[in-house]
Short mmCIF file of all heavy atoms in Angstrom, two decimals:
data_model
loop_
_atom_site.label_atom_id
_atom_site.label_comp_id
_atom_site.label_asym_id
_atom_site.label_seq_id
_atom_site.Cartn_x
_atom_site.Cartn_y
_atom_site.Cartn_z
N SER A 1494 191.00 117.86 41.45
CA SER A 1494 190.65 118.90 42.46
C SER A 1494 192.09 119.60 42.71
O SER A 1494 193.11 118.96 42.78
CB SER A 1494 190.15 118.26 43.73
OG SER A 1494 190.04 119.19 44.73
N PRO A 1495 191.91 120.92 43.00
CA PRO A 1495 190.77 121.81 42.98
C PRO A 1495 190.41 122.25 41.65
O PRO A 1495 191.03 122.13 40.66
CB PRO A 1495 191.31 122.97 43.87
CG PRO A 1495 192.76 123.14 43.62
CD PRO A 1495 193.16 121.63 43.41
N ASP A 1496 189.09 122.75 41.58
CA ASP A 1496 188.47 123.33 40.40
C ASP A 1496 187.97 124.72 40.72
O ASP A 1496 187.28 124.93 41.65
CB ASP A 1496 187.28 122.36 40.05
CG ASP A 1496 186.66 122.70 38.68
OD1 ASP A 1496 187.14 123.65 37.95
OD2 ASP A 1496 185.77 121.95 38.26
N THR A 1497 188.45 125.75 39.90
CA THR A 1497 188.17 127.08 40.16
C THR A 1497 187.56 127.83 38.96
O THR A 1497 188.11 127.63 37.80
CB THR A 1497 189.31 127.85 40.60
OG1 THR A 1497 189.96 127.17 41.76
CG2 THR A 1497 189.05 129.23 40.95
N ILE A 1498 186.56 128.53 39.06
CA ILE A 1498 185.95 129.43 38.04
C ILE A 1498 185.33 130.65 38.62
O ILE A 1498 184.84 130.58 39.76
CB ILE A 1498 184.89 128.54 37.26
CG1 ILE A 1498 185.46 127.45 36.50
CG2 ILE A 1498 184.21 129.52 36.12
CD1 ILE A 1498 184.42 126.63 35.70
N GLU A 1499 185.34 131.78 37.80
CA GLU A 1499 184.73 132.90 38.24
C GLU A 1499 183.30 133.00 37.53
O GLU A 1499 183.18 132.77 36.34
CB GLU A 1499 185.55 134.24 37.81
CG GLU A 1499 184.85 135.54 38.19
CD GLU A 1499 185.66 136.71 37.73
OE1 GLU A 1499 186.98 136.62 37.63
OE2 GLU A 1499 185.08 137.79 37.59
N PHE A 1500 182.27 133.38 38.36
CA PHE A 1500 180.87 133.38 37.82
C PHE A 1500 180.34 134.76 38.01
O PHE A 1500 180.68 135.55 38.95
CB PHE A 1500 180.11 132.35 38.66
CG PHE A 1500 180.49 130.88 38.53
CD1 PHE A 1500 181.38 130.39 39.42
CD2 PHE A 1500 180.02 130.13 37.43
CE1 PHE A 1500 181.74 129.04 39.31
CE2 PHE A 1500 180.52 128.90 37.23
CZ PHE A 1500 181.31 128.31 38.23
N GLU A 1501 179.37 134.95 37.09
CA GLU A 1501 178.66 136.23 37.17
C GLU A 1501 177.20 136.07 37.78
O GLU A 1501 176.39 135.19 37.10
CB GLU A 1501 178.56 136.93 35.82
CG GLU A 1501 177.92 138.30 35.80
CD GLU A 1501 177.78 138.94 34.44
OE1 GLU A 1501 178.46 138.49 33.56
OE2 GLU A 1501 176.93 139.75 34.24
N THR A 1502 176.94 136.51 38.82
CA THR A 1502 175.67 136.26 39.51
C THR A 1502 174.83 137.62 39.74
O THR A 1502 175.09 138.29 40.71
CB THR A 1502 175.85 135.60 40.91
OG1 THR A 1502 176.69 136.37 41.69
CG2 THR A 1502 176.42 134.24 40.72
N ALA A 1503 173.96 137.90 38.85
CA ALA A 1503 173.14 139.11 38.96
C ALA A 1503 172.12 138.98 40.04
O ALA A 1503 171.83 139.98 40.72
CB ALA A 1503 172.55 139.37 37.60
N GLY A 1504 171.68 137.82 40.24
CA GLY A 1504 170.56 137.62 41.30
C GLY A 1504 171.24 136.82 42.50
O GLY A 1504 172.39 136.90 42.77
N THR A 1505 170.34 136.15 43.17
CA THR A 1505 170.77 135.42 44.36
C THR A 1505 171.61 134.17 43.88
O THR A 1505 171.15 133.39 43.02
CB THR A 1505 169.52 134.94 45.27
OG1 THR A 1505 168.79 136.05 45.63
CG2 THR A 1505 169.97 134.17 46.43
N CYS A 1506 172.71 133.94 44.51
CA CYS A 1506 173.64 132.93 44.06
C CYS A 1506 173.28 131.60 44.91
O CYS A 1506 173.28 131.65 46.16
CB CYS A 1506 175.04 133.37 44.26
SG CYS A 1506 176.19 131.99 43.76
N TYR A 1507 173.04 130.47 44.17
CA TYR A 1507 172.77 129.19 44.77
C TYR A 1507 173.82 128.27 44.28
O TYR A 1507 174.26 128.25 43.18
CB TYR A 1507 171.45 128.58 44.39
CG TYR A 1507 170.29 129.43 45.06
CD1 TYR A 1507 169.69 130.44 44.46
CD2 TYR A 1507 169.70 128.99 46.28
CE1 TYR A 1507 168.57 131.08 44.99
CE2 TYR A 1507 168.66 129.57 46.89
CZ TYR A 1507 168.05 130.69 46.25
OH TYR A 1507 167.05 131.35 46.82
N LEU A 1508 174.29 127.33 45.18
CA LEU A 1508 175.24 126.25 44.75
C LEU A 1508 174.60 124.96 45.04
O LEU A 1508 173.94 124.71 46.18
CB LEU A 1508 176.45 126.38 45.70
CG LEU A 1508 177.23 127.65 45.71
CD1 LEU A 1508 178.49 127.55 46.50
CD2 LEU A 1508 177.67 128.04 44.29
N TYR A 1509 174.59 124.10 44.00
CA TYR A 1509 174.08 122.81 44.08
C TYR A 1509 175.21 121.80 43.97
O TYR A 1509 175.84 121.71 42.93
CB TYR A 1509 172.98 122.50 42.96
CG TYR A 1509 172.54 121.13 42.77
CD1 TYR A 1509 171.80 120.53 43.83
CD2 TYR A 1509 172.86 120.35 41.67
CE1 TYR A 1509 171.34 119.24 43.67
CE2 TYR A 1509 172.37 119.10 41.47
CZ TYR A 1509 171.63 118.62 42.49
OH TYR A 1509 171.15 117.25 42.33
N VAL A 1510 175.47 121.00 45.06
CA VAL A 1510 176.61 120.14 45.19
C VAL A 1510 176.11 118.72 45.18
O VAL A 1510 175.24 118.33 45.90
CB VAL A 1510 177.47 120.46 46.37
CG1 VAL A 1510 178.82 119.71 46.35
CG2 VAL A 1510 177.76 121.96 46.50
N TYR A 1511 176.77 117.84 44.36
CA TYR A 1511 176.39 116.43 44.33
C TYR A 1511 177.63 115.60 44.01
O TYR A 1511 178.57 116.09 43.47
CB TYR A 1511 175.33 116.24 43.20
CG TYR A 1511 175.67 116.52 41.90
CD1 TYR A 1511 176.24 115.47 41.07
CD2 TYR A 1511 175.74 117.83 41.31
CE1 TYR A 1511 176.63 115.76 39.67
CE2 TYR A 1511 176.12 118.14 40.10
CZ TYR A 1511 176.58 117.06 39.23
OH TYR A 1511 177.02 117.33 37.93
N ALA A 1512 177.53 114.36 44.36
CA ALA A 1512 178.65 113.43 44.23
C ALA A 1512 178.32 112.60 42.88
O ALA A 1512 177.41 111.92 42.78
CB ALA A 1512 178.71 112.39 45.28
N PHE A 1513 179.24 112.94 41.86
CA PHE A 1513 179.09 112.22 40.57
C PHE A 1513 179.50 110.75 40.79
O PHE A 1513 178.98 109.85 40.13
CB PHE A 1513 179.93 112.87 39.49
CG PHE A 1513 179.88 112.29 38.23
CD1 PHE A 1513 178.77 112.52 37.20
CD2 PHE A 1513 180.87 111.36 37.72
CE1 PHE A 1513 178.70 111.93 36.05
CE2 PHE A 1513 180.78 110.67 36.51
CZ PHE A 1513 179.66 111.02 35.68
N GLU A 1514 180.47 110.57 41.65
CA GLU A 1514 180.95 109.17 41.96
C GLU A 1514 181.54 109.21 43.28
O GLU A 1514 182.26 110.11 43.77
CB GLU A 1514 182.03 108.78 40.93
CG GLU A 1514 182.48 107.34 41.06
CD GLU A 1514 183.46 107.01 40.06
OE1 GLU A 1514 183.70 107.82 39.13
OE2 GLU A 1514 184.00 105.86 40.05
N GLY A 1515 181.23 108.14 44.11
CA GLY A 1515 181.80 107.98 45.47
C GLY A 1515 181.14 108.83 46.44
O GLY A 1515 180.07 109.46 46.23
N GLU A 1516 181.80 109.06 47.59
CA GLU A 1516 181.29 110.00 48.59
C GLU A 1516 182.44 110.48 49.40
O GLU A 1516 183.57 109.89 49.49
CB GLU A 1516 180.32 109.25 49.57
CG GLU A 1516 180.92 108.07 50.37
CD GLU A 1516 179.91 107.37 51.34
OE1 GLU A 1516 178.98 106.83 50.79
OE2 GLU A 1516 180.11 107.51 52.52
N GLY A 1517 182.26 111.58 50.12
CA GLY A 1517 183.43 112.23 50.85
C GLY A 1517 183.12 113.61 51.17
O GLY A 1517 182.16 114.24 50.81
N GLY A 1518 184.13 114.20 51.90
CA GLY A 1518 184.02 115.70 52.31
C GLY A 1518 184.57 116.50 51.21
O GLY A 1518 185.24 116.14 50.29
N TYR A 1519 184.10 117.77 51.22
CA TYR A 1519 184.51 118.81 50.22
C TYR A 1519 184.60 120.17 50.89
O TYR A 1519 184.00 120.36 51.93
CB TYR A 1519 183.57 118.77 49.00
CG TYR A 1519 182.11 119.23 49.39
CD1 TYR A 1519 181.78 120.52 49.45
CD2 TYR A 1519 181.19 118.20 49.71
CE1 TYR A 1519 180.39 120.86 49.78
CE2 TYR A 1519 179.91 118.55 49.98
CZ TYR A 1519 179.54 119.92 50.02
OH TYR A 1519 178.27 120.21 50.43
N THR A 1520 185.35 121.09 50.24
CA THR A 1520 185.53 122.48 50.72
C THR A 1520 185.16 123.36 49.53
O THR A 1520 185.71 123.12 48.41
CB THR A 1520 186.86 122.75 51.26
OG1 THR A 1520 187.18 121.87 52.29
CG2 THR A 1520 186.99 124.13 51.68
N ILE A 1521 184.42 124.39 49.68
CA ILE A 1521 184.08 125.39 48.66
C ILE A 1521 184.54 126.72 49.28
O ILE A 1521 184.08 127.17 50.30
CB ILE A 1521 182.61 125.47 48.38
CG1 ILE A 1521 182.18 124.09 47.68
CG2 ILE A 1521 182.34 126.58 47.42
CD1 ILE A 1521 180.71 124.03 47.40
N GLU A 1522 185.38 127.46 48.53
CA GLU A 1522 185.90 128.69 49.03
C GLU A 1522 185.37 129.77 47.97
O GLU A 1522 185.37 129.55 46.79
CB GLU A 1522 187.43 128.76 48.92
CG GLU A 1522 188.09 127.88 49.98
CD GLU A 1522 189.62 127.94 49.89
OE1 GLU A 1522 190.11 128.74 49.09
OE2 GLU A 1522 190.26 127.19 50.73
#
Side-chain angles (χ1 to χ4, degrees):
S1494 172
D1496 189 1
T1497 304
I1498 297 182
E1499 181 180 332
F1500 298 95
E1501 183 177 345
T1502 54
T1505 301
C1506 183
Y1507 289 90
L1508 304 181
Y1509 172 64
V1510 191
Y1511 63 96
F1513 182 80
E1514 185 176 356
E1516 64 177 67
Y1519 61 86
T1520 300
I1521 297 177
E1522 296 180 359

